[in-house]
Amino acid sequence: MTPDLASAIPGPDWLTERRVGAAQRAAAQPMPQADEEIWRYSRIEELDLQRFVFSPGAVVVTGNADCESELLESDPVAPAPDVFAEWNAALSEPIVLRTRRGQVIEAPIVLEHSVAEGQATFPRLVIHAAADSEITVVERFRSDGSGAAFVAPVVEVHAGQSARVKYLAINELGNDVWQVAHQLAWADRDSSVSLSTVALGGDYARVRTEAVATGQGSSTKQTALYFADGTQMHDFRTIQSHVAPRTQSNLLFKGAVKDTARSVYTGLIRIGHEAKGAAAFQTNRNLTLSEGAWAESVPNLDIETNDVRCSHASTVGPIDPEQRFYLESRGVSPEIAERLIVLGFFDEVLEQLPLPAMAAQLRARVAAKLDGVAASVAGAVA
Amino acid sequence: MSGNERHTLEIRGLEAAVEGKQILFGVDLTVSSGEVHAVMGPNGAGKSTLSAVLMGRPGYQVLGGTVTLDGVDLLALPTWQRAAAGLHLIMQYPTEVPGVKLDDVLAEALVSRGRSANGLENLLRAEAARIGLNPDLLHRALNVDLSGGEKKRNETLQLAVLEPKFAILDELDSGLDIDALRDCARRVEAASNAGLGVLAITHYSRLFEELKPDMVHILVKGRVVASGSPELVDELERDGYAKYLGPEAEEAAPTKRSSLDDLFAL
Ligand SMILES: Nc1ncnc2c1ncn2[C@@H]1O[C@H](COP(=O)(O)OP(=O)(O)OP(=O)(O)O)[C@@H](O)[C@H]1O
Ligand SMILES: [Mg+2]
């Protein structure tokens, strides 16, 4: 990755200038180290970006294109929380969806990315939802064939007053692919933003998701289902940030790890002094399905006002043996009991996804991944 | 139910421990198809332990003795195969299983018994009506946010659908109001008339107004200390367990007090 790549991308001068600026900042930064707090528990030192060749990537957009747009010089510039977001600002050619005031786009817009072996891609999606408009967007990340690749997607959501935005990212990347993703959302007065993630793929797949309630009465929701097996690792950083009064945030992250897979959840609720009457709820639950699997959950609070309602719950552990026993006492085999319990565990998230129609398909994907569990349990017994 | 086939559940010299502490000291009981055996005894006597050991609940160790169903060694089987062999447990405190729906579990339970799950929905609706269970609960997560009475109606419905050969009822009556108790007890009585063998653990005779016992066993400190005809229930109701607590009655006094607490708690 070099700054020349940024200047070579066609576009208006102001944009090229921004790109080059981002590329220079990115190139000047050292690669992250796991001893930095924000990369704690990660596998970041294993990443060698030089192994990959920059590619603009391949994406297919379906659904209502009525709102497809371009970046404007007057659009706010999103911060880049790390070097990968900086490279994304430098090298991406964003897909911009911009609704009109009051526009309701019923059908979801779907972006299908395919990541090819050896490539480093930096997809960016920018959603500007005008006042009182409504939009749902799904981004699906898949691999084109097998082999290692690197993808650093960024989604920016700017929800105007009373706008309703729902976003779902589905990671079905191949098991050799590295992902460092960013979700950034700003919710203006009385708007609601939902950011959800279903993570099944990747070798090391990280998502940093930050929802900022910037206007009073706004609400944000962050949900995720993640399930890692083999040697996969899923790494989540969540931020629920409140900077306006009477704002609400809800977060529900549920994950499972099996074989020797790992997962990390680090979540922060940040409530500024100006956010009187804010309510923030955070729940992270993790199932460890194998002896060798490992999950960590680290909730944090940073609260500067008294007038708040706040709660967080986090659990990590194997399937409750009493639940297992209950199902087995009905005559259900251990493998099927485990499958029912894990799918039941994830249903709470699947039921909340913006696209009920997609829930069944994703549930089937989880079930297929679990069948490996069933096989290994049966193997252990035999 | 298995019509007029006759089956036998035989417990011989069963000894068991929980967390290294021996609770059962040689229990003998034999139940045949269509029979209802009441098991009564003070708090802490080992009644729930007995039901847990029969079903293979984790955390319990069998120290000795045998349990057979028509000669098949149940203790050698994992829990789900004991259930498939025809043993069923209604738990004193049914476990909540978030996200797992009753109808999904019963469908899997039927399939693992080699039965078809076609027609399950109709069967569930019919049983729910018969047992007085709100049909909305048929498609909800198991026992989650159910009242004590709803949980036991739900347990009774599962028994009715799965048609086991033998059922252990661990305090089916606790937490039930009068209507729920009548509905559940009637349903089990009907099943027993159709051939189900029942081991009914309870503290109160009211269960037996609908579910007619053939025999009563008194379990004290992990042993069956007396067995007799149903009149024994009336005697216990009147005189309590004092007579059965044996030479160490002094030591057993706290047990008796907690039994009273249980009464007050109602
Ligand atoms: N998990 C456990 N760990 C330690 N002790 C236990 C455990 N479960 C039961 N016990 C002990 O075993 C003994 C028998 O308990 P059990 O539940 O079988 O009694 P019970 O006859 O069913 O009583 P109740 O009438 O109160 O239901 C009691 O002393 C109890 O404290
Ligand atoms: Mg008990």
Side-chain angles (χ1 to χ4, degrees), chain A residues 102-121:
Chain A
Q103 183 182 18
V104 174
I105 301 178
E106 306 261 358
I109 297 170
V110 181
L111 279 61
E112 308 225 25
H113 298 272
S114 81
V115 174
E117 181 171 8
Q119 292 183 346
T121 58

Side-chain angles (χ1 to χ4, degrees), chain B residues 48 92 170-171:
Chain B
S48 291
Q92 184 170 0
D170 191 1
E171 301 198 21

Side-chain angles (χ1 to χ4, degrees), chain A residues 10-133:
Chain A
D13 290 348
W14 62 266
L15 186 53
T16 305
E17 217 166 285
R18 274 191 204 169
R19 284 199 173 115
V20 171
Q24 285 166 346
R25 286 191 299 278
Q29 281 189 48
M31 282 300 282
Q33 301 295 320
D35 56 8
E36 295 168 54
E37 174 50 34
I38 69 162
W39 295 101
R40 192 163 170 226
Y41 301 116
S42 78
R43 281 168 47 194
I44 200 66
E45 23 355 74
E46 289 175 36
L47 176 65
D48 175 12
L49 263 190
Q50 303 312 323
R51 279 174 63 202
F52 305 106
V53 177
F54 168 69
S55 158
V59 59
V60 176
V61 183
T62 51
N64 188 329
D66 191 23
C67 59
E68 266 198 65
S69 172
E70 294 184 340
L71 285 183
L72 300 177
E73 192 168 7
S74 56
D75 285 340
V77 178
D82 62 34
V83 66
F84 306 103
E86 205 73 89
W87 276 120
N88 183 294
L91 302 175
S92 61
E93 290 177 84
I95 289 173
V96 182
L97 303 175
R98 199 183 297 274
T99 59
R100 294 185 305 276
R101 198 182 172 85
Q103 183 182 18
V104 174
I105 301 178
E106 306 261 358
I109 297 170
V110 181
L111 279 61
E112 308 225 25
H113 298 272
S114 81
V115 174
E117 181 171 8
Q119 292 183 346
T121 58
F122 299 86
R124 192 178 193 95
L125 167 67
V126 182
I127 302 171
H128 284 283
D132 199 32
S133 67

Side-chain angles (χ1 to χ4, degrees), chain A residues 320-323 325-337 339-345 347 351 363, chain B residues 55-58 79-80 83 88-89 91 95-101 105 108-109 112-113 142-143 155 158 162:
Chain A
D320 179 352
E322 289 295 320
Q323 293 183 13
F325 171 69
Y326 187 84
L327 298 192
E328 291 177 21
S329 76
R330 313 289 116 159
V332 174
S333 71
E335 297 78 39
I336 291 175
R339 185 190 232 261
L340 287 171
I341 291 169
V342 176
L343 289 174
F345 169 79
D347 273 345
E351 280 161 10
R363 195 175 199 268
Chain B
M55 206 72 226
R57 189 178 202 131
T79 294
W80 72 283
H88 189 86
L89 170 63
M91 294 187 190
T95 311
E96 297 188 5
V97 192
V100 179
K101 295 182 186 70
V105 172
E108 295 289 0
S112 82
R113 286 166 172 78
L142 275 169
N143 298 316
E155 292 280 287
Q158 295 181 41
L162 295 176

Side-chain angles (χ1 to χ4, degrees), chain A residues 224-228 252-257 263 283-289 295 314-320 323 327 337-352 363 366 370, chain B residues 97-101 141:
Chain A
L225 178 168
Y226 49 103
F227 182 13
L252 177 66
F253 271 50
K254 287 185 131 180
V257 279
S263 75
T283 303
N284 174 233
R285 303 205 182 280
N286 298 279
L287 284 179
T288 48
L289 300 177
S314 103
T315 53
V316 176
I319 289 176
D320 179 352
Q323 293 183 13
L327 298 192
E338 175 157 319
R339 185 190 232 261
L340 287 171
I341 291 169
V342 176
L343 289 174
F345 169 79
F346 282 136
D347 273 345
E348 187 184 5
V349 176
L350 289 170
E351 280 161 10
Q352 293 187 29
R363 195 175 199 268
V366 173
L370 269 172
Chain B
V97 192
V100 179
K101 295 182 186 70

